Amino acid sequence: MTENSTGAASLSSAPVLVTGGAGHLGANLVHRLLDDGVKVRVLLRHESNNEALESLDVEKFYGDLRDLESLRPAVEGCQGIYHAAAKISTIDGNKAYRRELYECNVVGTRNLLQVARECEAGRVVVTGSFSAVGYNLDNPSAPSDETMQFYPLVRTMPYERSKAFVEHECWQAVMKGQDVVVAICCALIGGWDFYPSRLGRTMVDYTNGKLRAYVDGGFEFVAARDIVEGHLLCMKKGRSGERYIFSSGYKTISEILQMYEEISGIPPPARRIPTPLMLVFSEVASAYLSRFHPSFPQRFTPGAIHLLQLCRHASTQKAQQELGYKPSSIRDAVKEAYSFHYHRRQVIINPHAKPPELDGMKWK
């Protein structure tokens, strides 16, 4: 595999495959690879929103991770795969929803790894989740590192469990001799967020004055440019069979809202709901919605509130020492996210919202 300074394949080599290229992380990764002169191939689903890849010079293949044979045409001829596709969720959902989550994330990863192995497609970098990394049970806010294994004997979200099983599939493949590295992603902030993500939707609702209250807590956030750089570093320098955490830093929700206010000019919601009260309300609301309206978007789910309560911190020491990873600014990532959503037609409609510092040319 020919490499340039970023660790991605060069223009004259075989294409690199990106799954989930229409998603938030995937779109940022595709744009970075194209900027670096890499031939990019993407795996898409016809029924998904693929707006993020319109007019981009990429090879498009259509398939479904749950259908093993549909993956083969996309994988054949590739040399290097970034597996960023996943169904992301903070709800418990009903039985059918949980099965879909498992099959998309776990079975889908198993299928992709198998086809990549059979087609000799080279290294596979799989996107992991910080929520599937373990933590100190006696002090949850103590920094977690890659040695800490997921603890399943407390209440966890189906998504968290599915991502823990995704890593299990990766290590099973490594035992068979496959070259696999896991790049662990925290809460992602940045542009090219077409769906949008939970954080992107929250920013839009905030700016449009639809966020009436909030619950505090904290989590690790990662700038889009940082997690993309992390994936490229894993492809170039990562050790097979290892996981690497990528974060830009820890922030509380209050601190994130303060950034929103400074960047958008819109004051934050005045009401902060006590966490125990919001947890009780969310349990009732989420149970009802999951059963009778499973497709309805839920912001404050019990799983999300529980994660915020833990105030988890991450250690990126391993990525910095082994890969040369250097975290950037969360504030800059929030500015980029705001600029992206501001320049999308009819997304931010509040006339009092400040024009972004970025002029928007990047997003056109």
Side-chain angles (χ1 to χ4, degrees), residues 176-189:
K176 296 175 183 177
Q178 193 166 2
D179 188 0
V180 184
V181 182
V182 173
I184 294 173
C185 184
C186 297
L188 178 58
I189 302 179

Side-chain angles (χ1 to χ4, degrees), residues 112-130:
L112 181 68
L113 290 172
Q114 178 180 331
V115 174
R117 197 162 55 243
E118 293 172 354
C119 293
E120 299 182 350
R123 170 165 286 186
V124 183
V125 175
V126 176
T127 306
S129 171
F130 185 59

Side-chain angles (χ1 to χ4, degrees), residues 41-354:
R41 181 181 292 180
V42 293
L43 176 69
L44 304 173
R45 294 198 301 175
H46 284 289
E47 63 271 24
S48 296
N49 176 5
N50 297 317
E51 181 184 1
L53 301 176
E54 289 180 0
S55 75
L56 294 185
D57 185 17
V58 297
E59 295 182 73
K60 297 178 181 179
F61 284 75
Y62 292 87
D64 192 313
L65 288 166
R66 295 168 292 184
D67 179 0
L68 188 145
E69 288 307 316
S70 75
L71 305 179
R72 200 171 300 279
V75 173
E76 287 179 338
C78 285
Q79 195 57 224
I81 298 175
Y82 294 97
H83 179 36
K87 184 175 179 64
I88 301 174
S89 172
T90 64
I91 68 173
D92 286 337
N94 56 25
K95 183 178 179 180
Y97 188 90
R98 292 192 293 272
R99 177 169 179 173
E100 181 184 14
L101 187 74
Y102 178 85
E103 291 181 347
C104 287
N105 294 352
V106 184
V107 177
T109 299
R110 181 188 309 154
N111 288 342
L112 181 68
L113 290 172
Q114 178 180 331
V115 174
R117 197 162 55 243
E118 293 172 354
C119 293
E120 299 182 350
R123 170 165 286 186
V124 183
V125 175
V126 176
T127 306
S129 171
F130 185 59
S131 63
V133 175
Y135 57 88
N136 187 325
L137 297 176
D138 299 317
N139 182 15
S141 65
S144 295
D145 63 27
E146 292 84 352
T147 66
M148 305 180 79
Q149 297 303 309
F150 179 70
Y151 183 70
L153 302 181
V154 293
R155 180 175 178 178
T156 54
M157 294 181 290
Y159 171 72
E160 294 175 279
R161 296 194 293 274
S162 78
K163 293 301 283 186
F165 283 125
V166 163
E167 289 196 34
H168 179 74
E169 295 297 332
C170 293
W171 312 144
Q172 288 282 89
V174 170
M175 290 176 64
K176 296 175 183 177
Q178 193 166 2
D179 188 0
V180 184
V181 182
V182 173
I184 294 173
C185 184
C186 297
L188 178 58
I189 302 179
W192 304 120
D193 185 11
F194 284 90
Y195 271 70
S197 63
R198 286 176 57 84
L199 278 172
R201 188 168 65 246
T202 299
M203 171 178 277
V204 170
D205 288 347
Y206 173 98
T207 309
N208 288 333
K210 295 181 179 180
L211 192 65
R212 309 295 186 185
Y214 71 100
V215 57
D216 211 358
F219 199 67
E220 288 282 338
F221 294 85
V222 64
R225 73 177 74 83
D226 287 351
I227 188 59
V228 166
E229 181 69 17
H231 278 65
L232 298 182
L233 287 170
C234 282
M235 182 66 78
K236 180 181 181 181
K237 300 180 179 179
R239 289 184 289 132
S240 184
E242 295 289 335
R243 62 205 309 222
Y244 297 88
I245 297 173
F246 298 99
S247 172
S248 303
Y250 173 89
K251 292 293 181 182
T252 65
I253 297 302
S254 294
E255 290 171 333
I256 292 291
L257 293 180
Q258 183 180 4
M259 289 185 197
Y260 285 2
E261 179 182 18
E262 294 171 358
I263 292 167
S264 69
I266 306 300
R271 181 180 300 173
R272 187 175 81 175
I273 302 176
T275 303
L277 178 62
M278 190 63 197
L279 190 58
V280 171
F281 172 78
S282 68
E283 292 280 8
V284 176
S286 186
Y288 171 80
L289 291 172
S290 294
R291 181 173 180 181
F292 297 105
H293 305 281
S295 61
F296 186 85
Q298 301 180 40
R299 180 181 290 115
F300 295 116
T301 65
I305 294 172
H306 176 67
L307 278 180
L308 291 175
Q309 277 186 310
L310 292 175
C311 297
R312 294 192 55 196
H313 290 64
S315 169
T316 60
Q317 184 176 6
K318 180 179 178 180
Q320 293 188 53
Q321 291 181 345
E322 292 192 16
L323 308 180
Y325 171 65
K326 297 179 180 179
S328 65
S329 164
I330 296 177
R331 180 177 295 274
D332 287 346
V334 173
K335 289 180 180 179
E336 290 187 5
Y338 180 69
S339 174
F340 172 78
H341 291 297
Y342 186 93
H343 287 286
R344 293 188 70 203
R345 184 178 302 174
Q346 299 301 316
V347 174
I348 290 179
I349 59 176
N350 189 339
H352 302 293
K354 292 195 309 187

